[in-house]
Amino acid sequence: MKQEQRNTGLDRETVVRKLREHGITPTQQRVEIATVLFERPQHVCADQVLAQVNAVESLVSKATVYNTLGLFAKKGLIREVLVDPARLFYDSNMIPHHHMYHTDSGMLEDVAPGQVQLGALPEVPEGMVIEGVDVVIRVRRI
Amino acid sequence: MKQEQRNTGLDRETVVRKLREHGITPTQQRVEIATVLFERPQHVCADQVLAQVNAVESLVSKATVYNTLGLFAKKGLIREVLVDPARLFYDSNMIPHHHMYHTDSGMLEDVAPGQVQLGALPEVPEGMVIEGVDVVIRVRRI
DNA sequence: TTCTGTGCTAGACTTTGTCTAAACGCAATA
DNA sequence: TATTGCGTTTAGACAAAGTCTAGCACAGAA
């Protein structure tokens, strides 16, 4: 794999710092993937990340993309979004928010948390903690 | 395929009526599948339905199970539940409710709608309607 | 230098779900 | 009774997302 920096808005140092802040050892491959993820706020699946990372030249393998996305999600750098039964999406926007999913087009939109009033959550069983609350508003053409 | 009735709580006529009420032609296979789904309120994936339907003798093919579950969901007889990235679950309980998902065990629990106060929903784009709002509370062991 | 642990990789593999082409079933018609 | 037609079912091939395995590379410690 090459050492050159990808031409992007986010510089390498910022990405490396971000990884370190989340307890992730910043390897070449992880930095490449993180750079793609944070180029712009977006919803992506593993396949798209793989394609974007390797767009110019082959930098990262499929296994590493899957492993890395899983690691990033576990470490709280990105968030899994379950809307499409066929594939798992990842959201690089960690500011709390919900989603609106267009079932006919597959489009996924962010919904500001203020736009959905989520009140009292139910009791959580003893010894359990809430990992997250996902709200997905499914919409379609009339 | 055999004509015998499965030994269950719900009788065939009730199931047939239920299918008709949802505009579904009640074929032998569809009745078998619906019977399994409504034996008790439960969350099942296609694989489990396939196994349960064919537990005693081969009654329904894989393709038909998948097609039928899709049809039932489209017609509003059952509901798709997206919690596990690896497989699609179906919920035969159509009374509005939410879900609590145990990420470490894969267990899926119902949450009464009253336990989550969902307030004002966001504006829906022109020409679109809300198909449903899914709330999933992900919990895990401390 | 050798050992140990972590990360990366190609490619095989698994699993869920879809597709296809043929056969079936049943009702309506002749 | 035979025929036609349409929706349904089927076995098995297929597709696609994601996981696993075994080996290699590299860095730090002994």
Side-chain angles (χ1 to χ4, degrees), chain A residues 25 27 29-30 59-64 67:
Chain A
T25 309
T27 65
Q29 290 84 345
R30 289 172 182 168
L59 298 174
V60 187
S61 74
K62 188 174 89 164
T64 299
N67 289 341

Side-chain angles (χ1 to χ4, degrees), chain B residues 45-47 62-63 66 86-88:
Chain B
C45 61
D47 230 46
K62 187 174 89 164
Y66 278 93
R87 82 195 85 242
L88 186 52

Side-chain angles (χ1 to χ4, degrees), chain B residues 61-77:
Chain B
S61 73
K62 187 174 89 164
T64 299
V65 168
Y66 278 93
N67 289 341
T68 302
L69 290 173
L71 177 71
F72 285 4
K74 204 181 83 183
K75 295 289 191 176
L77 191 68

Side-chain angles (χ1 to χ4, degrees), chain A residues 125-141:
Chain A
E126 184 64 30
M128 309 288 283
V129 275
I130 292 185
E131 207 176 280
V133 180
D134 294 328
V135 178
V136 177
I137 300 160
R138 283 173 291 107
V139 298
R140 61 167 168 77
R141 297 220 149 275

